[in-house]
Amino acid sequence: MKNKLIAASILSANFTCLGKEINDVLKAGANIIHFDVMDNNYVPNLSIGPLVLKSLRENNINCQIDVHIMAKNIDNLIISFIKLGVNSIIIHPESSLHLDKSISLIRKYGCKAGLALNPSTSLNCLDYLIHKLDLILVMSVNPGFEGQKFLDYIYKKIIQIKKIINKQKRNILLEVDGGININNIKKIAISGADVFVIGSAIFKNKLPYNKIIKNLKLESNYFFKK
């Protein structure tokens, strides 16, 4: 059983010292930096884009970057992020007029392709795309804002998707994003998650980052190390 991974969502970080925040959370044990891109169109919020990542790259932030695009007209954004050397790009079925084409565009340049499913998004789209996916992101909140509470009915969805992945016998990571904290991460892991996108529970916590992440990793891996 592979170890579980922590993806630190910088949407909750202090943007006045973003580079330092990223370096600190990586030194504390985060495996991935999760980069949320919002356009105030697909979701009712505006966040960051390629220019911010370009600045980070130019200042020696060379870690693994997981880009989650919550926007419309995404193909140009995909190209912009690929040029910045990101590791994976995650898009939503509703955000592309031609979803298969957008997924193929990500893979064309050697980047890992992910599909994000909102709480109410049907799993039917996986029937036609799962063979092109490297990861599936389950949204456990409605996308757009940090600090939301995990929706309890999403446990069932995580379990369902894990069964689909196992049945297909594909090496696809199952990622969960939204409302994850020390109190629910073990149950999310047991349900089938491989990667945990965590923002507020890390960046808004009073404890040092290394202690928070250590505790989260212990909880997420506990069931599998018995």
Side-chain angles (χ1 to χ4, degrees):
M1 180 66 65
K2 55 196 171 190
N3 282 337
K4 306 299 178 178
L5 303 174
I6 302 294
S9 173
I10 59 171
L11 188 64
S12 299
N14 182 348
F15 274 69
T16 64
C17 52
L18 185 57
K20 183 180 184 301
E21 287 274 73
I22 291 173
N23 282 323
D24 287 349
V25 81
L26 289 169
K27 288 176 184 175
N31 305 103
I32 303 164
I33 293 300
H34 189 81
F35 199 91
D36 284 309
V37 181
M38 305 178 187
D39 68 347
N40 199 34
N41 186 358
Y42 177 69
V43 292
N45 198 3
L46 187 65
S47 63
I48 48 181
L51 284 177
V52 173
L53 183 54
K54 182 175 184 290
S55 178
L56 292 170
R57 288 300 201 205
E58 288 173 349
N59 285 274
N60 300 314
I61 304 291
N62 298 314
C63 59
Q64 183 170 339
I65 300 285
D66 192 32
V67 174
H68 178 195
I69 300 179
M70 291 165 275
K72 292 284 190 180
N73 302 317
I74 57 174
D75 287 356
N76 286 337
L77 278 173
I78 287 170
I79 296 296
S80 295
F81 280 112
I82 286 173
K83 288 179 179 179
L84 293 169
V86 302
N87 301 85
S88 53
I89 296 178
I90 306 163
I91 62 175
H92 288 253
E94 304 89 352
S95 66
S96 174
L97 291 174
H98 304 287
L99 185 58
D100 180 79
K101 179 183 175 183
S102 296
I103 292 289
S104 296
L105 181 63
I106 297 169
R107 293 173 61 88
K108 177 181 177 181
Y109 293 95
C111 189
K112 292 182 178 179
L115 191 65
L117 303 176
N118 289 336
S120 61
T121 301
S122 170
L123 304 186
N124 292 342
C125 58
L126 295 177
D127 293 342
Y128 306 98
L129 289 167
I130 196 165
H131 63 288
K132 290 188 173 183
L133 299 178
D134 299 291
L135 62 95
I136 297 170
L137 174 64
V138 181
M139 292 301 301
S140 43
V141 299
N142 289 299
F145 296 92
E146 62 171 318
Q148 297 184 66
K149 184 179 178 182
F150 185 96
L151 298 170
D152 285 340
Y153 64 83
I154 298 299
Y155 289 116
K156 180 180 177 182
K157 194 166 193 175
I158 298 167
I159 292 168
Q160 288 175 323
I161 295 174
K162 193 66 173 185
K163 286 180 179 177
I164 293 170
I165 292 171
N166 290 339
K167 186 177 180 181
Q168 291 280 330
K169 297 181 179 180
R170 295 187 177 277
N171 187 26
I172 297 173
L173 290 175
L174 181 50
E175 194 167 327
V176 179
D177 182 358
I180 301 175
N181 56 49
I182 197 68
N183 298 314
N184 59 21
I185 192 169
K186 185 190 294 186
K187 186 173 180 180
I188 297 167
I190 292 169
S191 298
D194 302 302
V195 183
F196 309 88
V197 180
I198 306 175
S200 296
I202 295 175
F203 292 106
K204 305 297 186 185
N205 202 308
K206 294 181 180 179
L207 293 174
Y209 292 163
N210 61 338
K211 184 172 286 189
I212 300 163
I213 292 172
K214 180 181 178 181
N215 291 338
L216 288 166
K217 285 189 172 184
L218 286 172
E219 284 294 305
S220 66
N221 285 286
Y222 176 80
F223 177 81
F224 300 97
K225 290 185 176 180
K226 283 187 176 181

